[in-house]
Amino acid sequence: MSLAVEYYFLVEPDWADGLRYRRRWRTSIQSGITGFEIRSKLYTWPRRSIDYSIGAIGNDETSYLKRKLFKSMSGVAGVPFWQDETTLTAQANSGQAVLNVGSTENRNFEVGGQCILIQDQSSFEVGNIQSKTSDSITLSSNLAYTWPAGTRVYPVLKARIDRGFTAEAKTGSVWTARIRFNEAFDEDITHYVGSMPARFQSFGDYKVMDIEPDGGTVSQSMHKPFTLTEFLGAQYTYSLYDETVFKFTGEFSFFDRSDLQEFLDFFDAMAGRWGAFWLPTNVIYVRISLPFSSTDKRITVNDGDAFKDFWLDTNAGRNIIIFWPDGTFACGEVIEVEGNELILYEPIGKEATSGQVDYLVTCFLPLARFDQDEIEVDFFTTNVGRIKTRFKSLRWDMPAHTTTTTTTTTTSTTTTSTTT
């Protein structure tokens, strides 16, 4: 079923207040009393929305705004994805169906959806997208008008205005508002769902989400539900969680559309809260004190006793990630501590020289998921955006490698065997 657009809302955003773009998944989570989760993905593609501030100054602009809102408040609007602007690289003549554009990549152009060519609110043309390449769009019917090179082209969101919308009349001819447009379901669109970008490396069965958050934006809380029993002053606590769960928030700024799209594609690949991945804590808990080779299974740290007493054999501290100054990294699973040496299950796989040791950043690497089904991008221009995201560590849902020691004593000998 193709969803018909009843009107086009072409009031451009006030970029001083930014534009917010959202992608929303939906996850059902059944959580046991010990913290283990069963998660189900309920959407097959993410729903989108945009919201932005508008200002109407003068009788013509305010009249346009009032007409659009009064006549079609509950109808399906066609709203440009203003952050996804591209332009014609060659004149598009009346009677032709192919638009040559700067780029369709990392934008919301979709086969079966619409695109719009705009000069102003009263001069525009809409076409249905039949196919596209990285720098061209083929429409399902020919253009009715001729459009010069440099004409702006946008993908179109078929949406309804959020019912919480309110416009403020500053004067009789000056209106301001912030309006949210929520995507209306349309079966005829080939919806874009991001897949896991190739840049993300694997550690074991999961990907490592190694995009570094903005400095000073990382916050961490700890969560461990427990029951407090108190009687005549005596207190007793107990919890069915065997250890504390981490929760993280961080902000990520992007100055390139492809970098931003990689983050959104990672979120799509996880389908919001559904998927699991490795998440560096971005908080330093371990300091490496000596260089090591790529084949080493032993990493020397400043305080092995603290690691052994607090972090060994826990979900939080079982894995570490070491970042080099150039942004590369290596991951390892800690199975034992001897003195100040962390013993890994496998060789670390990357060398650290004596000149690099003081600049290594070592963090824990818990298994985690997004703690939100809707991701928000605040666009400040068409190319600059920021994402604030929440994460939550998960209870271990795969067997860890362990080292066990069995000692057998006889009258003459002692035999020790180690298995992994």
Side-chain angles (χ1 to χ4, degrees), residues 67-194:
R67 291 196 306 270
K68 293 295 183 182
L69 298 178
F70 178 80
K71 178 68 175 179
S72 307
M73 176 64 73
S74 61
V76 176
V79 186
F81 283 101
W82 297 106
Q83 77 277 13
D84 291 342
E85 177 182 310
T86 188
T87 58
L88 292 179
T89 56
Q91 179 171 291
N93 296 312
S94 173
Q96 77 177 55
V98 177
L99 309 179
N100 296 304
V101 297
S103 177
T104 63
E105 295 183 335
N106 306 316
R107 294 165 170 82
N108 284 280
F109 291 102
E110 295 175 317
V111 173
Q114 293 183 338
C115 68
I116 186 169
L117 299 91
I118 299 178
Q119 282 190 341
D120 54 46
Q121 292 175 357
S122 59
S123 180
F124 63 92
E125 185 170 354
V126 178
N128 292 313
I129 301 174
Q130 179 175 292
S131 63
K132 65 184 181 71
T133 67
S134 62
D135 59 2
S136 70
I137 299 170
T138 300
L139 305 178
S140 59
S141 57
N142 295 332
L143 291 171
Y145 303 99
T146 296
W147 299 93
T151 298
R152 295 176 295 160
V153 183
Y154 301 91
V156 172
L157 175 68
K158 295 181 180 181
R160 289 184 172 87
I161 292 177
D162 189 273
R163 286 174 290 184
F165 154 73
T166 300
E168 297 181 2
K170 302 299 184 181
T171 68
S173 59
V174 178
W175 278 38
T176 62
R178 190 167 185 99
I179 303 179
R180 175 168 173 167
F181 298 90
N182 297 314
E183 184 171 15
F185 186 85
D186 193 330
E187 295 177 340
D188 284 354
I189 294 177
T190 304
H191 294 283
Y192 174 81
V193 179

Side-chain angles (χ1 to χ4, degrees), residues 244-287:
T244 300
V245 170
F246 289 143
K247 292 188 176 182
F248 307 93
T249 62
E251 294 183 8
F252 301 81
S253 294
F254 300 93
F255 302 92
D256 182 89
R257 295 192 71 92
S258 61
D259 292 340
L260 172 58
Q261 191 61 50
E262 282 186 339
F263 196 102
L264 295 178
D265 286 348
F266 187 96
F267 184 75
D268 276 1
M270 294 297 109
R273 296 186 297 167
W274 177 71
F277 51 90
W278 300 114
L279 179 72
T281 57
N282 291 296
V283 177
I284 299 173
Y285 290 95
V286 183
R287 292 282 186 184

Side-chain angles (χ1 to χ4, degrees), residues 288 290-296 299 322-326 328-330 347-357 360:
I288 294 174
L290 292 177
F292 51 85
S293 72
S294 61
T295 58
D296 275 341
I299 306 295
I322 305 169
F323 288 98
W324 273 253
D326 62 359
T328 59
F329 64 86
I348 189 63
K350 184 173 171 61
E351 177 190 28
T353 65
S354 57
Q356 294 173 326
V357 167
L360 298 178

